[in-house]
Amino acid sequence: MNFRNLFDRLLLPFQDEKELRRSLYSILGFYPHNIELYKQALMHKSVRRRNEKGRPINNERLEFLGDAVLDAVVGHIVYRHFEGKREGFLTNTRSKLVQRETLGRLAKEMGVIDLVVSAGCGNSHNSYMGGNAFEALVGAAYLDHGYNACMEFMEHRILSQIINIDKVAYKEVNFKSKLLEWSQKNRVRMEFLQLEQTTDKNGSPVFVYQVVIEGVEGCTGSGYSKKESQQHASKDTLARLRREPQFIDAVFAAKADRTKMEEEPVAVAPDLEAEQQNFFDGVTADTADRQAKNNQKVENAVSDDFSLDDITAAPREKTREEIIAEAEAAAFAEA
């Protein structure tokens, strides 16, 4: 055994190529033709291996290719599965299926992460390692077996057995609600500003909104409705809050400036109890009693004027004199 073969055996987490082929078959559903492509797809850049020309050997180029292939394959599947759905829905569904977090979970679920070769770089310290390796494997499968094999793999092994495409498509995370909750907990002011409203080539309205927190401009989002555009803007702003400490610092600096201005001394509000006490200052007990009696007289007079005793539900019976008077009046009127 030469040094290169020994080096390969030490690097790979399987005893021989036969074991690797079996592992790849359990993942992909087909055996590889060119095993070297898959070895490279599982080689993390931390290994720092180079070929005879000094060029690095790792999975970055295959990852690039696999990313493009996944976009095409998953887009094709989504297009066929959701007949009649609009472009925005299709794009959103594809994005959720090929996002790095989803691919990372797939890599862990299918055992891809266990085959990745790295040097001094544990998988737990690189949340993207599994997703990158998954994309690289798709790139290797595309070069080795072609587009149809990748389509078969994604459609029948991933979207039929592991991921429910309908649940992914219709499950909506309310990013706007999450952003509002964050702003309320931190007592910062947030608003959505409509930047523009246009139409696409089909005449459908397109809205563009921007998140503004404490006057600091956040991310923008576009969509076929105000809700959709605000959701996109909220999602990107949440991501920015997580990864950009400078953005958070700017928001809370603006909040500090605002609250400092609002906390400046203002005129003291009048004490209502003291005002009432001042109103009664100088009133003696006799005067108070007299005022109370006068008030009672007024209340009694009002009650008498607006007495309802003479109003009854049934009409009052007419007297004999009233009946004769009405009859005479009617007779003279007819004359």
Side-chain angles (χ1 to χ4, degrees), residues 25-71:
Y25 179 82
S26 66
I27 294 171
L28 300 171
F30 52 80
Y31 286 105
H33 297 321
N34 184 357
I35 193 64
E36 296 301 323
L37 284 172
Y38 301 90
K39 288 182 180 179
Q40 185 174 346
L42 297 169
M43 187 78 66
H44 189 258
K45 63 181 180 180
S46 63
V47 175
R48 299 183 182 279
R49 184 176 177 183
R50 296 183 178 274
N51 60 17
E52 293 80 359
K53 297 182 178 180
R55 295 176 181 173
I57 301 176
N58 56 52
N59 62 5
E60 288 186 330
R61 284 172 53 82
L62 286 172
E63 175 196 336
F64 164 80
L65 179 61
D67 178 62
V69 173
L70 273 175
D71 272 351

Side-chain angles (χ1 to χ4, degrees), residues 187-190 212-216 250-252 254-255 258-259:
R187 297 182 180 180
V188 296
R189 292 180 177 177
M190 187 195 74
V212 178
I213 309 177
E214 291 289 354
V216 180
V251 168
F252 283 99
K255 176 191 174 183
R258 172 179 60 80
T259 54

Side-chain angles (χ1 to χ4, degrees), residues 174-176 178-179 182 219 233-243:
N174 195 334
F175 298 105
K176 180 180 178 180
K178 289 182 178 294
L179 185 59
W182 177 88
C219 298
S234 298
K235 179 181 179 180
D236 292 343
T237 300
L238 283 169
R240 190 177 174 191
L241 285 168
R242 291 175 61 87
R243 68 172 183 262

Side-chain angles (χ1 to χ4, degrees), residues 214 252-266:
E214 291 289 354
F252 283 99
K255 176 191 174 183
D257 290 340
R258 172 179 60 80
T259 54
K260 181 179 179 181
M261 294 176 61
E262 291 178 353
E263 291 172 359
E264 291 179 354
V266 296

Side-chain angles (χ1 to χ4, degrees), residues 219-240:
C219 298
T220 60
S222 63
Y224 289 105
S225 67
K226 295 179 180 180
K227 178 182 177 181
E228 183 182 3
S229 61
Q230 291 177 3
Q231 278 278 59
H232 292 163
S234 298
K235 179 181 179 180
D236 292 343
T237 300
L238 283 169
R240 190 177 174 191

